């Protein structure tokens, strides 16, 4: 595995890969790898000749009161995990390489950023779309792999790629969970043992919402209440939002039909966790 610190190195590496006729899969990340990240890397490697991973804690997607400074970082550990997953190139730039002095250009995706994380974290998706547009232009991969764990992010990037005609295929990948259902996240390291145990309520609550829909519930508000009530049984978990929406537009649904997204954000100790499930409603 090669490590690149500069955009120039990535471009030179990609030029050789293209000259060799290789297809390239790309996985953008903020590092502190877990099985969710490794799953994306292995899938990219299985479906493309070469796998490129970026490791960049992107300052523009964090709000002023958020955890940019203390976001977990361990380059040596990440590099060895990426290498074991078969990654060919690890691009780990400094902030100045991505946002040099005088940087002024941002990508704003409208509609699909309006609610959920877009409403809870103003400016977040502007940072995400901007860094992804830059990374897509730097790497110029054939395919880019994203986890459904960050479902709205996936929708934002799909929208941006369509709207800006970026020539890359987006590959959505299933959420990887711990054996007890907790969605894997770099932020799970913030959890104390009792909080880690309490956080399992999130997936149980999502499953109860899904099961209610599968059992015939078609009132979005009722499903939302079922999920909220289960989370409320766990005093260490503070719900920020529970939402039931159309899985494509992310707009709220009164009467459930088509593919439905149940999503949530909650505080557990100092950690802010998000999770979601999608359900296809039968006619
Ligand atoms: P991050 O490093 O948290 O920005 O995540 C990088 C990529 O990994 C994004 O596409 C995430 O959606 C994806 N990802 C993070 N956690 C998981 C998970 N538990 N399962 C699947 N994909 C994940």
């Amino acid at each position: 595995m090669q490590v690149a610190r500069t955009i120039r190195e990535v471009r030179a590496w990609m030029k050789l890969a293209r000259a060799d006729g290789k297809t390239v899969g790309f996985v953008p990340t903020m590092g502190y790898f877990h099985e969710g990240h490794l799953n994306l890397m292995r899938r990219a490697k299985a479906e493309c000749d070469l796998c490129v991973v970026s490791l960049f804690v992107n300052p523009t997607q964090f709000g002023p009161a958020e955890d940019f400074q203390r976001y977990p970082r361990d380059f040596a550990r990440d590099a060895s995990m990426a290498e074991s997953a078969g990654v060919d190139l690890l691009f780990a730039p400094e902030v100045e390489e991505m946002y040099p002095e005088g940087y002024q250009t941002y990508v704003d995706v409208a509609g699909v950023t309006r609610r959920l994380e877009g409403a809870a974290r103003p400016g977040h998706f502007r940072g995400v779309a901007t860094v992804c547009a830059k990374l897509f232009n730097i790497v110029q991969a054939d395919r880019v792999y994203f986890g459904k764990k960050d479902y709205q992010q996936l929708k934002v990037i799909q929208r941006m790629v369509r709207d800006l005609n970026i020539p890359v295929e987006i590959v959505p990948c299933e959420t990887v969970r711990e054996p007890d259902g907790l969605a894997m996240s770099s932020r799970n390291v913030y959890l104390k043992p009792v909080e880690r145990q309490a956080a399992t309520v999130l997936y149980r609550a999502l499953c109860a919402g899904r099961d209610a829909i599968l059992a015939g519930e078609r009132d979005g508000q009722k499903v939302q209440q079922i999920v909220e009530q289960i989370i409320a049984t766990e005093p260490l978990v503070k719900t920020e939002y529970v939402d039931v929406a159309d899985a494509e537009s992310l707009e709220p649904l009164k009467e459930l039909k088509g593919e439905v997204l149940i999503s949530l954000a909650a505080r557990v100790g100092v950690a802010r966790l998000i999770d979601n499930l999608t359900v296809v409603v039968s006619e």
Side-chain angles (χ1 to χ4, degrees):
M1 184 181 78
Q2 259 184 260
V3 174
R5 295 288 185 180
T6 64
I7 295 161
R8 251 175 96 100
E9 289 169 273
V10 176
R11 291 207 193 282
W13 190 92
M14 280 299 292
K15 199 167 170 186
L16 291 177
R18 292 306 187 196
D20 274 354
K22 305 289 194 196
T23 60
V24 176
F26 175 41
V27 183
T29 80
M30 299 204 301
Y32 214 73
F33 295 149
H34 51 66
E35 206 44 50
H37 296 111
L38 299 180
N39 185 52
L40 300 180
M41 298 174 199
R42 290 192 206 105
R43 176 127 181 230
K45 187 64 181 183
E47 296 178 357
C48 307
D49 296 324
L50 296 170
C51 173
V52 176
V53 171
S54 63
L55 192 178
F56 180 61
V57 184
N58 174 38
T60 64
Q61 72 187 69
F62 289 79
E66 292 183 359
D67 57 346
F68 173 68
Q69 293 298 342
R70 63 186 171 91
Y71 195 83
R73 293 165 171 90
D74 187 340
F75 180 77
R77 172 180 174 273
D78 283 349
S80 107
M81 288 170 82
E83 181 151 37
S84 305
V87 172
D88 298 286
L89 179 69
L90 181 62
F91 174 43
E94 296 294 338
V95 171
E96 295 70 33
E97 179 73 1
M98 293 296 281
Y99 300 107
E101 182 91 8
Y103 189 88
Q104 304 187 356
T105 306
Y106 295 88
V107 179
D108 261 311
V109 178
V112 81
T113 61
R114 191 177 74 82
R115 304 180 61 249
L116 310 173
E117 291 302 281
R121 303 179 67 189
H124 171 64
F125 285 123
R126 184 186 202 232
V128 169
T130 300
V131 80
C132 285
K134 286 170 66 65
L135 289 167
F136 294 177
N137 282 331
I138 292 164
V139 178
Q140 300 188 25
D142 299 282
R143 294 183 174 146
V144 185
Y145 294 79
F146 279 93
K148 292 190 194 169
K149 156 76 169 43
D150 301 278
Y151 189 90
Q152 190 176 18
Q153 168 173 280
L154 167 68
K155 290 290 138 189
V156 170
I157 298 305
Q158 285 176 329
R159 191 71 254 171
M160 176 185 78
V161 161
R162 255 179 276 158
D163 289 351
L164 296 183
N165 311 96
I166 300 179
V168 73
E169 181 191 338
I170 304 291
V171 184
C173 301
E174 290 308 318
T175 299
V176 178
R177 297 179 180 283
E178 300 286 356
D180 63 11
L182 180 68
M184 290 196 184
S185 165
S186 306
R187 291 188 167 99
N188 291 350
V189 296
Y190 297 147
L191 300 171
K192 296 182 185 143
V194 280
E195 294 166 348
R196 167 67 188 76
Q197 176 52 39
T200 60
V201 78
L202 299 175
Y203 183 61
R204 286 202 305 281
L206 286 172
C207 289
R210 177 193 58 195
D211 292 347
I213 297 172
L214 294 177
E217 183 58 66
R218 294 291 176 267
D219 180 338
Q221 262 190 347
K222 290 238 174 75
V223 174
Q224 182 190 331
Q225 282 163 8
I226 288 167
V227 177
E228 283 170 350
Q229 280 164 9
I230 292 173
I231 302 174
T233 63
E234 185 46 80
L236 293 178
V237 179
K238 305 276 176 250
T239 300
E240 212 174 90
Y241 65 78
V242 171
D243 192 84
V244 180
D246 179 84
E248 195 51 41
S249 69
L250 308 190
E251 290 296 323
L253 270 179
K254 281 221 163 62
E255 153 122 32
L256 303 183
K257 58 175 171 2
E259 194 178 8
V260 171
L261 173 73
I262 313 174
S263 64
L264 60 82
R267 302 263 173 194
V268 190
V270 298
R272 182 178 182 279
L273 304 181
I274 58 169
D275 200 356
N276 71 83
L277 277 183
T278 54
V279 195
V280 177
V281 177
S282 56
E283 294 294 308

